[in-house]
Amino acid sequence: MASVCQKCSAPLGRYNKSGYCRRHVSEFNLSRPEVRKRQREGIRRKHATDPAFLDDLRRRARALGEDPDVNHRRTRHFVHRRLWEKGCEAARNPASRAKAGRSSSATKLAWCPPHLRKDYLHLVRGKRFLAAEARAFIEEQNEVEMRRWRASVGAA
C-alpha cells in the first residue's frame, strides 16, 4: 500500500489501507456512491425510528430560521456571492430547463408507468379527457398488459 496520502503526500501509518490521511479519507469515502447510499439509509432509519430525535431536529431548524443573526449572515452570503445571477443563468440554459421539465413530469406522473406516459398526455392534452378519466384508462390499460404478461410467463 502507498506510504503517503494520495491527496497531500502526508506520511501514512503502516496499517493504512485507504491510501489517504485522516484529513482526506472522509472526502474519499463520501465521493463513493455506495457510502453515500448507506449514509442516507442510516439517516432515514434514524428519523423513522426515533421521533424524539426528529422533533429535536425540527425545533433546532425552526430556531435557526427565526434567529436574526443567522438570517443576516445568510442574506450577506447570498448577496456577496450574487447567487441570484447564477440561478438566472441556469434558468436560461435550455439543457437545465429540459432537465427541470423531465424531473417535474416524472414527479407529477409517478403513478403512471413510464411507457404509458405519452398515451396519458395524449388523452389529457390532445383528446381533452379529464385527468381522472385519463388516469382510469391508463391504469386499466396497464392492468390488462400486466395480466397478459403474467399469463405469458406463467405467473398466477
Side-chain angles (χ1 to χ4, degrees), residues 10-141:
L12 299 177
R14 183 182 328 176
Y15 300 107
N16 183 303
K17 295 178 183 171
S18 69
Y20 293 93
C21 65
R22 281 181 193 240
R23 183 173 171 202
H24 293 110
V25 72
S26 292
E27 179 184 342
F28 167 71
N29 283 333
L30 292 177
S31 71
R32 296 169 44 206
E34 67 275 7
V35 172
R36 296 299 291 249
K37 183 179 179 205
R38 274 199 331 259
Q39 188 180 47
R40 279 192 305 273
E41 289 169 354
I43 290 168
R44 283 190 186 115
R45 268 195 315 274
K46 178 71 172 173
H47 290 175
T49 59
D50 192 349
F53 176 80
L54 196 55
D55 288 341
D56 188 47
L57 272 180
R58 288 182 180 130
R59 181 192 53 75
R60 287 186 289 157
R62 202 173 303 113
L64 281 174
E66 295 168 355
D67 185 345
D69 183 49
V70 170
N71 285 331
H72 176 71
R73 283 186 285 142
R74 189 179 298 133
T75 302
R76 198 173 62 224
H77 172 84
F78 182 83
V79 170
H80 176 70
R81 287 173 177 73
R82 302 177 67 87
L83 295 177
W84 65 91
E85 292 173 350
K86 293 175 180 149
C88 290
E89 286 174 20
R92 285 191 298 264
N93 181 351
S96 67
R97 295 305 311 145
K99 182 180 176 187
R102 287 190 302 272
S103 175
S104 177
S105 291
T107 300
K108 291 173 184 173
L109 297 176
W111 62 268
C112 184
H115 68 283
L116 295 175
R117 287 183 183 164
K118 282 185 181 177
D119 295 341
Y120 172 77
L121 293 174
H122 175 70
L123 289 172
V124 172
R125 294 178 181 164
K127 299 293 185 179
R128 302 278 190 210
F129 277 88
L130 294 176
E133 292 174 344
R135 181 173 180 161
F137 286 144
I138 294 297
E139 287 175 341
E140 184 180 328
Q141 182 179 350

